[in-house]
Amino acid sequence: MGETKTKPTEASVESFLANVADENLRADCYTLVSLMEKITGEKPVMWGPSIVGFGKYLYNTHTGRGNEICLTGFSPRKDSLSLYCLSGFPGQNEMLQQLGKHKAGKGCLYIKKLDDVNLDVLQNLLASSAAHLKTIFPD
């Protein structure tokens, strides 16, 4: 079995974000850093080559192997921001309905730009998801 690729690295978050070509996307990234740092109380860390993550938790895979992943995070992609923040917490679907323009996957939220969403709802969603994960996966 291969080694997990999505793990904390020593790469510079600042350098990674400075290289985001689109200035509006870069500004959204800095807003997300502030928001996620405030919610988690953690400094940003690069997880793999392209995910800016905050905090971490340990979960078991279907094989029983333990994996570590960031509590919440994001990645600036070509066509949208990918936010790793959907944990299935109670009330999640209701918050998503109030969020604004987005797409949701199983664990990811896709937003083209932060101007498309209600930042207060996003902040509540991020905080609720992180709290839910801490309940499910205590230290």
Side-chain angles (χ1 to χ4, degrees):
M1 182 173 276
E3 187 179 344
T4 302
K5 293 179 184 175
T6 307
K7 59 185 179 183
T9 71
E10 295 295 319
S12 166
V13 171
E14 187 60 42
S15 293
F16 173 73
L17 295 178
N19 285 314
V20 173
D22 181 277
E23 66 184 62
N24 294 322
L25 182 59
R26 189 175 337 110
D28 283 352
C29 289
Y30 286 116
T31 299
L32 286 173
V33 166
S34 295
L35 204 58
M36 291 180 175
E37 200 170 35
K38 177 182 169 186
I39 288 165
T40 64
E42 301 281 346
K43 294 289 184 194
V45 172
M46 290 303 301
W47 284 73
S50 62
I51 296 173
V52 179
F54 299 80
K56 60 185 174 182
Y57 67 95
L58 185 65
Y59 68 97
N60 289 321
T61 66
H62 65 282
T63 63
R65 186 173 140 226
N67 272 349
E68 191 176 67
I69 192 66
C70 54
L71 186 63
T72 193
F74 70 92
S75 183
R77 304 292 185 187
K78 185 177 181 180
D79 59 345
S80 65
L81 287 162
S82 296
L83 283 71
Y84 305 98
C85 64
L86 299 181
S87 63
F89 63 88
Q92 176 178 292
N93 290 338
E94 291 79 3
M95 279 191 202
L96 288 173
Q97 289 174 0
Q98 299 169 11
L99 182 61
K101 190 175 177 181
H102 71 279
K103 290 183 181 175
K106 182 174 174 135
C108 293
L109 180 65
Y110 305 99
I111 299 171
K112 294 233 182 244
K113 56 187 179 200
L114 291 182
D115 283 345
D116 288 343
V117 298
N118 180 318
L119 283 181
D120 290 334
V121 173
L122 180 60
Q123 183 172 344
N124 288 336
L125 187 125
L126 293 169
S128 296
S129 180
H132 182 66
L133 286 170
K134 287 179 181 179
T135 300
I136 298 171
F137 303 103
D139 290 336

